Amino acid sequence: MRSELIVVCGAGGFIGGHLVAELQRQGCQAIRAVDIKPVEEWFQRFPGVDNMKLNLQEADACVRAVDGAHTVSNLAADMGGMGFIENNKALCMLSVLINTHLCMAAHKHRVQRYFYASSACVYAADKQVSPDVVALKESDAYPAEPEDGYGWEKLFSERMCRHFREDFDLATRIARYHNVYGPLGTYAGGREKAPAAVCRKVIQAKFSGAHEIEIWGDGRQTRSFMYIEDCLKGTQAILASDIVEPINLGSNELVTINELVDIVEAIAGIKLARTYNTKAPKGVNGRNSDNTLIKKLIGWEPSIRLRDGLEKTYRWIYDQMAKHA
């Protein structure tokens, strides 16, 4: 049994909630879960966990959050899908306060290991202009031209972690997440990501009988999507490793958004007429994860096919929406 205090920041959110659940399954005895939302609004809550409602953009809150901690995982950010991050650049940038103050507090309290959840949005735009994208390797983040707002905050925070490691011996680890999805997450309201949004739209079409769906962009833009279980395994492996530079954590199963819709339609047993909103936020034309380095260094690779992960995600969202249908 692990008795050292583990702090999960952003624990009321999607990945953070799943991480707390996994830590409990592994027998961790001392877990502190921190989020800005009221505890009753968290996606997952667990008995025996020290749940704290704190605004981690504030320095004093970060000091309280990490007091006594052995390990800190920072998954806290004001973020969402492409619709949110393209229209809320200032809010996304303000998340830099969270990582800055957490690094300072972790140094002050002599935290032994600090994990930062970065994003594939750090990658240079000129490497993502074609749907036939070459999978992005870690060095493709420089020369820097990340996603405006959210991507710049992530890239800056990566550098903050690096310099706290170099100057203050804070043992930092950084994963660049590529589109994590799964059940027990946001699927409506404007902050949801593509897999959840597509599931919701298909379910809405099924419930309403209006067999049509609006797709943002032309449907030819490409992405890879990583199921939450693979994300958790990779995150913990990176945290325990000697990898000090940012490293990709994502699937390399590349699909178009049209193909994503195809898969969800097949799960739902329905076929929908498609309209394309080319004025809606759609992000870069192509993005995929090059997993060469992480496979070489720690042997990690995703194990869950997109079709299988989407089926689990669809079933959960369907059950949630059926309650209010």
Side-chain angles (χ1 to χ4, degrees):
M1 293 289 188
R2 293 167 59 185
S3 58
E4 303 95 343
L5 177 61
I6 299 173
V7 177
V8 178
C9 300
F14 168 51
I15 303 175
H18 278 284
L19 179 57
V20 172
E22 180 62 23
L23 290 169
Q24 278 212 321
R25 281 193 292 269
Q26 293 173 0
C28 296
Q29 297 173 324
I31 304 169
R32 179 177 297 149
V34 185
D35 203 279
I36 192 172
K37 297 186 293 294
V39 174
E40 59 270 18
E41 296 178 13
W42 294 13
F43 285 118
Q44 299 186 67
R45 301 184 299 275
F46 303 95
V49 173
D50 179 16
N51 296 319
M52 300 179 72
K53 178 187 179 300
L54 294 171
N55 181 359
L56 295 175
Q57 290 187 6
E58 299 172 356
D60 289 346
C62 291
V63 171
R64 288 180 59 196
V66 308
D67 185 17
H70 176 275
T71 302
V72 174
S73 290
N74 177 16
L75 299 112
D78 197 354
M79 57 85 69
M82 192 52 60
F84 179 81
I85 66 176
E86 283 201 5
N87 293 304
N88 295 276
K89 294 183 176 67
L91 289 179
C92 290
M93 289 292 287
L94 284 172
S95 293
V96 75
L97 296 173
I98 299 173
N99 189 63
T100 301
H101 290 142
L102 279 174
C103 282
M104 294 170 66
H107 170 55
K108 176 180 180 179
H109 284 291
R110 302 181 184 275
V111 167
Q112 296 301 300
R113 185 102 2 152
Y114 181 91
F115 174 81
Y116 177 65
S118 186
S119 165
C121 287
V122 303
Y123 284 114
D126 65 0
K127 301 286 201 311
Q128 304 172 83
V129 295
S130 169
D132 299 319
V133 65
V134 175
L136 297 160
K137 55 185 183 295
E138 285 76 8
S139 59
D140 288 331
Y142 295 94
E145 191 188 359
E147 190 87 43
D148 199 11
Y150 179 72
W152 275 110
E153 185 276 322
K154 290 295 185 183
L155 195 63
F156 178 88
S157 292
E158 286 186 1
R159 304 297 290 192
M160 181 70 73
C161 289
R162 173 179 178 171
H163 296 311
F164 265 76
R165 174 175 56 82
E166 293 173 336
D167 295 355
F168 303 122
D169 291 325
L170 178 63
T172 58
R173 301 292 184 266
I174 302 165
R176 290 175 178 162
Y177 288 160
H178 287 249
N179 293 313
V180 187
Y181 74 99
L184 291 162
T186 301
Y187 62 88
R191 289 179 182 258
E192 67 277 13
K193 295 189 176 183
V198 170
C199 288
R200 185 198 75 244
K201 290 179 179 182
V202 170
I203 294 165
Q204 284 174 333
K206 195 163 188 174
F207 285 170
S208 69
H211 287 191
E212 56 187 22
I213 185 171
E214 181 188 82
I215 297 172
W216 287 8
D218 60 14
R220 294 193 292 268
Q221 62 269 37
T222 53
R223 295 291 187 277
S224 63
F225 301 97
M226 173 174 55
Y227 191 64
I228 183 63
E229 289 180 15
D230 283 329
C231 175
L232 296 176
K233 291 176 183 176
T235 295
Q236 292 192 300
I238 291 168
L239 184 56
S241 76
D242 295 325
I243 303 169
V244 297
E245 298 296 335
I247 193 162
N248 279 336
L249 190 63
S251 171
N252 52 9
E253 184 183 348
L254 190 69
V255 294
T256 66
I257 298 302
N258 277 328
E259 289 168 340
L260 179 68
V261 176
D262 290 341
I263 296 170
V264 178
E265 285 179 334
I267 293 168
I270 195 171
K271 198 67 181 173
L272 306 176
R274 303 180 186 187
T275 59
Y276 295 91
N277 185 350
T278 56
K279 295 183 179 179
K282 71 179 185 68
V284 297
N285 288 323
R287 176 178 293 155
N288 196 13
S289 179
D290 185 324
N291 292 336
T292 304
L293 188 58
I294 191 169
K295 186 174 181 181
K296 174 185 175 183
L297 294 179
I298 57 175
W300 179 91
E301 57 184 334
S303 62
I304 299 169
R305 294 185 313 145
L306 180 59
R307 174 63 168 77
D308 297 334
L310 277 174
E311 184 154 12
K312 295 178 183 179
T313 306
Y314 176 91
R315 300 301 174 200
W316 181 80
I317 295 175
Y318 184 96
D319 288 345
Q320 303 310 302
M321 294 178 66
K323 294 175 184 176
H324 306 101

